[in-house]
Amino acid sequence: MPEAGMGGDKRTGSVRRGLFVATILTGSFLLFLVQPLVARMALPRLGGAPAVWNSAMLVYQALLLGGYAYAHWLGRVRPLAQGMIHLGVLALACLWLPIGLMAMEPPVTVSPAIWVPWLLLGSIGPLFFAVSAQAPLVQRWFSLASGGQDPYALYAASNLGSFAGLIAYPLLVEPLLPVHAQSWLWSGGYVLLIALVIACVAMLPRAGAVPMPVAESVASAAPARRLVWHWIMLALVPSGLMLATSTYITTDIVAMPLLWVLPLGLYLLSFTVAFAERREMADFITRMAPITILLFGGVIMGGYQQRPWFNLGVALALLFVVSVALHTTMYRRRPAPDRLTGFYLAMSAGGALGGVFAGLVAPVVFDWTYEYPLLILAAGALVPQTYLLALFRDWWMGRRRPFAFGGVILALAALFVIGFGRDGGPGGSGMQGLSFLVIAATGFVAIGARWAYLAVLASALILFGGYRSLILSAEPGARTRSYFGVYTIRDGDRLRALDHGTTVHGIQLRGSPARERMPTTYYARGSGIGQAMAVLPRLYGPDARVGVVGLGTGTLSCYARPGQAWRFYEIDPAVVRLARDTGQFTYLRRCLPDPVIRMGDARLSLHREATGDLDLLALDAFSSDSVPMHLMTREAFATYARVLGPRGLLLVHISNRFLDLEPVVAAVARDGGWHAAQFDYRPSTLDVEASSSIWVALSRDRAVLTELTANEVGWRPLRGRPGMTAWTDDYATTLPLLKGF
């Protein structure tokens, strides 16, 4: 009989633990599924302005912090009362189901910085708030229901659920379901979550019926203020580094769509490793973290563009190791279970501060992604360190300590003198290998002596790329940063180029007024857009009306002729300053001195234009290789058709290193009654000013398209893809379009 009783208790404990794990998994899954879902819903209505997405990020961070603060406050009442109060909050939030956006349209005169938080708070605020409190609450309830068992391992399950929700959206939910079905799916998951919470509340101890666990009857000492700040910093650095890594790899390595999923996913997985019951992996990664930060930090700062995929792997590995190491340090310094909600509140505050620093402050303060090396340096300052060898410990702890410090300083000084005494600095091919060996050897000796280690790490970050960025930042006008990325101006032999990250966004020839007026790159005269501009007077007469979505350097303005009416649609004020105000690019000054420029998201601006207001519309709004999906949907093309009128001509630039966009345009053209043709331009090697490009021409009038394509054999019909449906505001996915898949 005793054995049967023990077996029953064990089975009951397993069932109880399984219930709490399922509840915390479900809540975290829903929390990270709702963020991309609501962003997808908001895109057609709000556009892609930077204020929109940064305001949305602040709303999410604020709601998460509020949810954790609410969970912390709720710990002051008795367990059963906690459950009843939280069930009331969950039930009240049901009034906002099915999940979606309020039906209000944004007023034209209201700033997105004000309108977007109001829209998101009113649309999903109560739901997000209620679900965000799940992780700390359920862990605390598990400790109470189990008689004081350690609840922190459940946080690993929480972040596993977050990771699953994050990955599920681009890989499964978005490709398989339209937005309205996604809304009902999430709403059904929310109802399931309520049922699971009810089951958890039923297991909480009742006053006078079940003795309070030891963890609750004897309160632990409150954490020192210094420890709380340590928790905040340990959470701030990985959170900021996650966003900084996303910005860095899409700016300086590879601007590939969906790439933002990888840093956030690894960040979430780091919690699963750091808070797991089995400690072997977390402890091993934490011990190796100082070496990884030292070696990988220097490598990634080198920015070797000939190996972008290698650099991408190094950047992601560095983020994961740093996140595991710092989150493991938090786990080691965690409080008793009765202080759990305060611990998570500090963690949430640190995560929010890291997001604000990397997502909002850095783009305003820095002209390059300086937040990336700064956060790497901060990680080196916070990560636990132990001496690699007893010999090194003796050097740093004994009487030889001054000599050890002197040796490190001399080695770094010699490296700087030799490196900067040569052309190209230590990043050049002649010194690169030697510099890396000196840094590695000196760093291995210094691990454990934190200030010496930080000196070596800072030297590596400066030598292997930081100094190049500092030089560019010191040049007036050489670099500009906005919320859309980093723009760099390169001066070459008789030309000037504008780079957005790793993508060339415009080149202007220099030397004479005629050369400065010559269209180059994707807009050369032999390209699809160049041919359309050549036939424009024949199609629409001398007073043709032209609209261009995406200003760039203003290259297309040099196709303008007297009598024509041109207007540009541009979302980034930094681009307008570069093309019109700074004088660094003179296309507008030479060809169209007083251009009409509509600021804001192009789709929203075109929605406000009169019917039949344009004869030709050129769509070239891609930011690096990212795709503004809301500009490629059936509803967006209906707006283009209305603004153009029956005989209008639409030119769409679909050149992309990672996505095959031809099937998307073919599908939307078929559904919208457009006649379409594509021109793949491959210039001669002698045409150094031209770039390969792919343009698609569309018109509702077949005769217009025939006039454009009659004199050039390179035009061909669009190739659709079997089963490919047109993108809509309710359904769109880039996953099937990835090249090589």
Side-chain angles (χ1 to χ4, degrees), residues 456-497:
V456 177
L457 178 59
S459 300
L461 296 175
I462 294 172
L463 289 166
F464 290 102
Y467 77 96
R468 289 196 297 268
S469 296
L470 290 170
I471 290 173
L472 277 175
S473 296
E475 294 182 19
R479 180 178 278 155
T480 300
R481 183 174 182 179
S482 73
Y483 285 110
F484 291 95
V486 177
Y487 301 98
T488 303
I489 295 178
R490 293 182 292 110
D491 285 324
D493 185 17
R494 303 184 68 191
L495 60 82
R496 175 169 287 161

Side-chain angles (χ1 to χ4, degrees), residues 410 572 641 661 711:
L410 286 175
D572 194 350
L661 296 174
N711 297 324

Side-chain angles (χ1 to χ4, degrees), residues 289-294 380-381 383 385 443 446-458:
I291 302 173
T292 305
I293 294 171
L294 178 66
V383 73
Q385 295 190 24
I447 290 175
R450 192 171 300 274
W451 288 108
Y453 171 82
L454 288 176
V456 177
L457 178 59

